[in-house]
Amino acid sequence: MRWFLVSVLALALLLLAGCWAVSIFPLYTDKDLIWDKQLVGSWSTSDGSNSIWSFAPSDTNSYVLTVREENERDAQFEAHLLRLKDHLFLDLLPAQGDFASDFYTGHLLPAHSFWRVDLKDDTLRLGMLSMDWLEEAIDKGTVSIPHLERNDGYVLTAPTQELQAFVLSHLEEAFKWEDPLVRIP
C-alpha cells in the first residue's frame, strides 16, 4: 500500500511539474464532447518502447485511459475526446482511486492536461500543451491567461471558455507533437 501511495503522489507531482501544462478546469463542455470508437484499443510507439496507452469505453462521452510505462505502475485517467472547431483534443484527469481515507483524498487536487489529437486509421498522434512554451510566453508577456505560478511551473486557472479560446489561438506553437502511436493488434 505504501508503494501505491508513493506512486500516486509521484504521478501528481509529475503532472504539476512535468513538461506539459495543467489546469484546474476542463477544456470541454458537454456540447464539445465526441465519441469515436476508433480511439478504443491499445496504442504504443512504433519503435517498440514499453509505453502503452489503452483506451476503454467508460460512458457515452468518456473513456478510461490506462497508461503503462516500463517499470512503473499503471496510471488511470478519465479521458474526454472533444472537438473545438476542426481540431480534436483529449482532456485527461487522473482517475480517483482508493488512496487510504476520505481525509487523505480530500487533500489531493485533480488537474486536467490537454493533448491535441490527430487520429487516422491505426496511427494516433498526440501533442501536449507544452509547459516550456507556456512559461516562456507568460514570462515574455506574449500571452495572458489566468494562472498560478509555482516553483515548478504554472497551473492554469482560467475557466473552460477562456481555455478553449486560448488553445485555439495558440494551436500551432503551444502543442508539441510526440512520436506517433500505432494500434496494437
Side-chain angles (χ1 to χ4, degrees):
M1 182 62 144
R2 175 177 279 188
W3 283 108
F4 179 72
L5 293 175
V6 169
S7 296
V8 168
L9 288 174
L11 178 62
L13 290 173
L14 177 65
L15 283 174
L16 290 175
C19 298
W20 54 89
V22 295
S23 172
I24 300 294
F25 293 101
L27 186 59
Y28 63 88
T29 64
D30 287 344
K31 70 177 179 56
D32 304 311
L33 295 176
I34 63 170
W35 175 259
D36 189 339
K37 66 181 180 182
Q38 187 178 353
L39 187 58
V40 174
S42 295
W43 304 82
S44 183
T45 55
S46 59
D47 66 4
S49 74
N50 291 328
S51 176
I52 298 173
W53 289 44
S54 298
F55 292 88
S58 178
D59 61 32
T60 57
N61 287 325
S62 69
Y63 306 83
V64 174
L65 168 62
T66 303
V67 177
R68 175 170 287 158
E69 299 284 338
E70 186 175 11
N71 299 324
E72 294 189 26
R73 291 180 160 269
D74 290 357
Q76 282 203 332
F77 298 85
E78 285 179 34
H80 290 89
L81 185 64
L82 61 135
R83 182 181 310 282
L84 299 178
K85 295 194 177 182
D86 293 330
H87 308 283
L88 291 178
F89 295 90
L90 271 175
D91 180 302
L92 302 183
L93 182 68
Q96 293 187 7
D98 181 13
F99 298 116
S101 70
D102 289 339
F103 179 74
Y104 179 80
T105 58
H107 288 82
L108 298 177
L109 294 176
H112 296 262
S113 63
F114 313 135
W115 301 74
R116 190 172 173 191
V117 174
D118 181 25
L119 179 59
K120 291 186 179 126
D121 301 320
D122 289 335
T123 302
L124 173 63
R125 283 186 358 151
L126 298 172
M128 66 179 171
L129 179 56
S130 169
M131 179 63 85
D132 292 338
W133 174 85
L134 182 64
E135 287 177 344
E136 185 176 322
I138 289 174
D139 291 346
K140 287 182 176 179
T142 57
V143 300
S144 176
I145 187 165
H147 63 277
L148 296 173
E149 188 170 351
R150 298 175 42 100
N151 291 339
D152 51 4
Y154 296 107
V155 176
L156 300 177
T157 60
T160 299
Q161 189 172 13
E162 283 184 55
L163 288 170
Q164 290 179 348
F166 175 76
V167 299
L168 288 173
S169 65
H170 300 287
L171 194 60
E172 296 306 321
E173 67 267 21
F175 288 87
K176 177 185 170 200
W177 289 109
E178 299 292 322
D179 290 334
L181 302 173
V182 294
R183 183 179 301 281
I184 300 172

